[in-house]
Amino acid sequence: MIKCVIFDLDGVITSSSDQHFQAWCELAESLGHTLDPEVEVYTRGVSRMKSLEIVLDAIGMSGRFSEDEMVKMATDKNARYKELISQFTPDNLEPGMETLLTELKGKGIKIALGSASKNGPFLLERLGIMQYFDFITDPAAVKHPKPAPDTFLAASEALGFLPEECVGIEDAVAGVRAIKSAGMFAVGIGDRDVLAEADIVYPKVSDIDTRDFLAD
């Protein structure tokens, strides 16, 4: 019986991928390069430092910077990203998200955030939905980021549930793999072909039917 639903953030609860990629593009431009739009999909669902590695590789600058320089670049990028999302309001919630959260709460389901983003609490506050969440995974405390299962297992363990009692909802391949590696039921949001490893895939959050994975 499912007792907990663990949500990814970007691309599921809200769409801030454009703001993320704009900040990465501005970083690339500061290094004298233009970032190919096709790179954006590969930066989803992974840690900030992993995203930076992907961006630097894409512009042919991988391995040219010290660890301290890379940390500064990632920090500067995040500061710019936070500027871009600072104007987010509940209007930036994915359609159907608050209805889904309300339904889960009404059924006694615990709700957690399992995101690689360190901006999770900030965004949940801006979106006006912090009160729905029983636990927020701290990315800094996760030893192995997605596609490793640690992010989702941290949430289930904190709330006292077995993996088989949890559902994970993700829009990225790395995230779906993390959910499956954790031994949980995986709900994908997006393209069925891309997210073929998920147990079930819905085109949009508003298409989710909890009867597909919650017992009556």
Side-chain angles (χ1 to χ4, degrees):
M1 181 176 177
I2 299 300
K3 299 178 180 178
C4 175
V5 175
I6 306 169
F7 287 88
D8 179 41
L9 179 60
D10 296 325
V12 176
I13 293 175
T14 188
S15 292
S16 58
S17 57
D18 287 348
Q19 288 77 15
H20 267 301
F21 198 62
Q22 180 179 335
W24 284 127
C25 286
E26 290 178 11
L27 173 66
E29 288 169 6
S30 74
L31 297 171
H33 294 271
T34 299
L35 196 57
D36 190 320
E38 293 183 2
V39 175
E40 189 270 335
V41 68
Y42 299 105
T43 64
R44 295 182 189 176
V46 297
S47 69
R48 191 181 305 163
M49 294 307 293
K50 180 62 177 177
S51 292
L52 175 58
E53 291 173 7
I54 291 168
V55 168
L56 292 177
D57 184 60
I59 62 176
M61 299 192 76
S62 181
R64 297 192 186 184
F65 302 98
S66 69
E67 183 175 348
D68 286 346
E69 288 173 325
M70 291 183 65
V71 168
K72 184 180 186 305
M73 283 190 282
T75 300
D76 290 346
K77 175 268 172 185
N78 187 60
R80 176 56 178 150
Y81 167 71
K82 290 189 75 171
E83 287 180 7
L84 294 170
I85 63 173
S86 64
Q87 300 304 310
F88 270 34
T89 71
D91 289 338
N92 292 100
L93 275 173
E94 281 293 296
M97 177 52 63
E98 189 155 20
T99 297
L100 175 59
L101 293 171
T102 301
E103 178 185 350
L104 293 174
K105 277 297 183 186
K107 292 183 177 182
I109 302 296
K110 294 295 184 181
I111 299 173
L113 184 70
S115 171
S117 174
K118 295 179 181 179
N119 298 302
F122 174 80
L123 265 174
L124 294 185
E125 290 284 3
R126 294 298 307 170
L127 296 167
I129 56 172
M130 178 66 85
Q131 70 273 17
Y132 291 102
F133 286 80
D134 300 289
F135 181 77
I136 298 173
T137 300
D138 178 6
V142 173
K143 187 173 182 180
H144 302 291
K146 304 172 187 179
D150 301 39
T151 299
F152 290 93
L153 290 175
S156 65
E157 290 168 3
L159 292 171
F161 298 122
L162 297 171
E164 55 265 33
E165 296 176 314
C166 301
V167 169
I169 303 183
E170 271 277 2
D171 73 315
V173 173
V176 168
R177 288 178 179 165
I179 296 168
K180 296 305 296 178
S181 295
M184 301 177 183
F185 188 91
V187 173
I189 303 297
D191 188 292
R192 294 180 187 275
D193 293 330
V194 174
L195 303 175
E197 295 174 51
D199 294 291
I200 190 167
V201 179
Y202 304 98
K204 303 182 297 297
V205 168
S206 57
D207 295 320
I208 292 177
D209 187 340
T210 61
R211 293 174 296 183
D212 293 332
F213 51 87
L214 295 182
D216 294 332

mmCIF file of all heavy atoms in Angstrom, residues 162-179:
data_model
loop_
_atom_site.group_PDB
_atom_site.id
_atom_site.type_symbol
_atom_site.label_atom_id
_atom_site.label_comp_id
_atom_site.label_asym_id
_atom_site.label_seq_id
_atom_site.Cartn_x
_atom_site.Cartn_y
_atom_site.Cartn_z
ATOM 1 N N LEU A 162 8.955 2.003 3.899
ATOM 2 C CA LEU A 162 9.724 1.129 3.037
ATOM 3 C C LEU A 162 9.651 1.669 1.612
ATOM 4 O O LEU A 162 8.664 2.324 1.237
ATOM 5 C CB LEU A 162 9.154 -0.293 3.075
ATOM 6 C CG LEU A 162 9.203 -1.008 4.428
ATOM 7 C CD1 LEU A 162 8.413 -2.318 4.347
ATOM 8 C CD2 LEU A 162 10.639 -1.267 4.847
ATOM 9 N N PRO A 163 10.667 1.392 0.780
ATOM 10 C CA PRO A 163 10.627 1.874 -0.611
ATOM 11 C C PRO A 163 9.362 1.458 -1.356
ATOM 12 O O PRO A 163 8.806 2.261 -2.119
ATOM 13 C CB PRO A 163 11.880 1.241 -1.223
ATOM 14 C CG PRO A 163 12.820 1.109 -0.086
ATOM 15 C CD PRO A 163 11.959 0.738 1.088
ATOM 16 N N GLU A 164 8.904 0.244 -1.119
ATOM 17 C CA GLU A 164 7.714 -0.229 -1.837
ATOM 18 C C GLU A 164 6.439 0.471 -1.393
ATOM 19 O O GLU A 164 5.376 0.305 -2.019
ATOM 20 C CB GLU A 164 7.560 -1.744 -1.685
ATOM 21 C CG GLU A 164 7.528 -2.246 -0.277
ATOM 22 C CD GLU A 164 8.886 -2.699 0.237
ATOM 23 O OE1 GLU A 164 9.915 -2.108 -0.174
ATOM 24 O OE2 GLU A 164 8.906 -3.654 1.050
ATOM 25 N N GLU A 165 6.520 1.267 -0.351
ATOM 26 C CA GLU A 165 5.370 2.044 0.103
ATOM 27 C C GLU A 165 5.382 3.463 -0.472
ATOM 28 O O GLU A 165 4.529 4.273 -0.118
ATOM 29 C CB GLU A 165 5.356 2.121 1.635
ATOM 30 C CG GLU A 165 5.171 0.774 2.308
ATOM 31 C CD GLU A 165 5.244 0.840 3.824
ATOM 32 O OE1 GLU A 165 6.189 1.498 4.338
ATOM 33 O OE2 GLU A 165 4.371 0.241 4.485
ATOM 34 N N CYS A 166 6.345 3.732 -1.373
ATOM 35 C CA CYS A 166 6.516 5.086 -1.900
ATOM 36 C C CYS A 166 6.387 5.152 -3.419
ATOM 37 O O CYS A 166 6.714 4.197 -4.131
ATOM 38 C CB CYS A 166 7.893 5.628 -1.518
ATOM 39 S SG CYS A 166 8.196 5.700 0.262
ATOM 40 N N VAL A 167 5.930 6.308 -3.882
ATOM 41 C CA VAL A 167 5.866 6.625 -5.305
ATOM 42 C C VAL A 167 6.758 7.841 -5.539
ATOM 43 O O VAL A 167 6.738 8.795 -4.757
ATOM 44 C CB VAL A 167 4.416 6.969 -5.739
ATOM 45 C CG1 VAL A 167 4.395 7.554 -7.152
ATOM 46 C CG2 VAL A 167 3.545 5.724 -5.682
ATOM 47 N N GLY A 168 7.550 7.791 -6.598
ATOM 48 C CA GLY A 168 8.346 8.951 -6.985
ATOM 49 C C GLY A 168 7.821 9.526 -8.288
ATOM 50 O O GLY A 168 7.410 8.761 -9.180
ATOM 51 N N ILE A 169 7.797 10.843 -8.398
ATOM 52 C CA ILE A 169 7.299 11.506 -9.608
ATOM 53 C C ILE A 169 8.414 12.369 -10.179
ATOM 54 O O ILE A 169 8.928 13.263 -9.513
ATOM 55 C CB ILE A 169 6.048 12.359 -9.312
ATOM 56 C CG1 ILE A 169 4.948 11.478 -8.695
ATOM 57 C CG2 ILE A 169 5.549 13.019 -10.591
ATOM 58 C CD1 ILE A 169 3.643 12.209 -8.419
ATOM 59 N N GLU A 170 8.769 12.107 -11.433
ATOM 60 C CA GLU A 170 9.927 12.732 -12.079
ATOM 61 C C GLU A 170 9.646 13.048 -13.538
ATOM 62 O O GLU A 170 8.815 12.408 -14.174
ATOM 63 C CB GLU A 170 11.129 11.784 -12.022
ATOM 64 C CG GLU A 170 11.992 11.920 -10.785
ATOM 65 C CD GLU A 170 13.002 13.049 -10.897
ATOM 66 O OE1 GLU A 170 13.000 13.752 -11.928
ATOM 67 O OE2 GLU A 170 13.791 13.222 -9.959
ATOM 68 N N ASP A 171 10.400 14.033 -14.073
ATOM 69 C CA ASP A 171 10.293 14.349 -15.498
ATOM 70 C C ASP A 171 11.586 14.048 -16.238
ATOM 71 O O ASP A 171 11.642 14.193 -17.454
ATOM 72 C CB ASP A 171 9.939 15.821 -15.703
ATOM 73 C CG ASP A 171 11.112 16.745 -15.403
ATOM 74 O OD1 ASP A 171 11.778 16.537 -14.359
ATOM 75 O OD2 ASP A 171 11.366 17.669 -16.194
ATOM 76 N N ALA A 172 12.621 13.626 -15.516
ATOM 77 C CA ALA A 172 13.931 13.402 -16.121
ATOM 78 C C ALA A 172 14.315 11.932 -16.071
ATOM 79 O O ALA A 172 13.944 11.209 -15.136
ATOM 80 C CB ALA A 172 14.995 14.230 -15.412
ATOM 81 N N VAL A 173 15.079 11.490 -17.065
ATOM 82 C CA VAL A 173 15.527 10.097 -17.117
ATOM 83 C C VAL A 173 16.333 9.746 -15.878
ATOM 84 O O VAL A 173 16.133 8.684 -15.267
ATOM 85 C CB VAL A 173 16.359 9.850 -18.395
ATOM 86 C CG1 VAL A 173 16.981 8.459 -18.369
ATOM 87 C CG2 VAL A 173 15.482 10.007 -19.642
ATOM 88 N N ALA A 174 17.247 10.629 -15.481
ATOM 89 C CA ALA A 174 18.071 10.365 -14.297
ATOM 90 C C ALA A 174 17.203 10.191 -13.063
ATOM 91 O O ALA A 174 17.477 9.346 -12.199
ATOM 92 C CB ALA A 174 19.066 11.502 -14.082
ATOM 93 N N GLY A 175 16.144 10.978 -12.969
ATOM 94 C CA GLY A 175 15.247 10.894 -11.827
ATOM 95 C C GLY A 175 14.456 9.606 -11.803
ATOM 96 O O GLY A 175 14.292 8.972 -10.758
ATOM 97 N N VAL A 176 13.951 9.210 -12.960
ATOM 98 C CA VAL A 176 13.208 7.949 -13.054
ATOM 99 C C VAL A 176 14.109 6.776 -12.677
ATOM 100 O O VAL A 176 13.702 5.862 -11.948
ATOM 101 C CB VAL A 176 12.624 7.762 -14.470
ATOM 102 C CG1 VAL A 176 12.102 6.335 -14.658
ATOM 103 C CG2 VAL A 176 11.501 8.770 -14.716
ATOM 104 N N ARG A 177 15.329 6.801 -13.150
ATOM 105 C CA ARG A 177 16.274 5.729 -12.808
ATOM 106 C C ARG A 177 16.555 5.709 -11.306
ATOM 107 O O ARG A 177 16.702 4.639 -10.711
ATOM 108 C CB ARG A 177 17.568 5.907 -13.602
ATOM 109 C CG ARG A 177 17.386 5.565 -15.072
ATOM 110 C CD ARG A 177 18.653 5.795 -15.872
ATOM 111 N NE ARG A 177 18.433 5.435 -17.271
ATOM 112 C CZ ARG A 177 19.233 5.773 -18.269
ATOM 113 N NH1 ARG A 177 20.336 6.475 -18.028
ATOM 114 N NH2 ARG A 177 18.955 5.408 -19.509
ATOM 115 N N ALA A 178 16.617 6.893 -10.700
ATOM 116 C CA ALA A 178 16.832 6.969 -9.252
ATOM 117 C C ALA A 178 15.668 6.339 -8.497
ATOM 118 O O ALA A 178 15.862 5.600 -7.520
ATOM 119 C CB ALA A 178 17.011 8.425 -8.829
ATOM 120 N N ILE A 179 14.455 6.624 -8.936
ATOM 121 C CA ILE A 179 13.264 6.060 -8.294
ATOM 122 C C ILE A 179 13.271 4.539 -8.407
ATOM 123 O O ILE A 179 13.039 3.817 -7.422
ATOM 124 C CB ILE A 179 11.981 6.627 -8.930
ATOM 125 C CG1 ILE A 179 11.886 8.130 -8.704
ATOM 126 C CG2 ILE A 179 10.742 5.940 -8.349
ATOM 127 C CD1 ILE A 179 10.812 8.813 -9.542
#
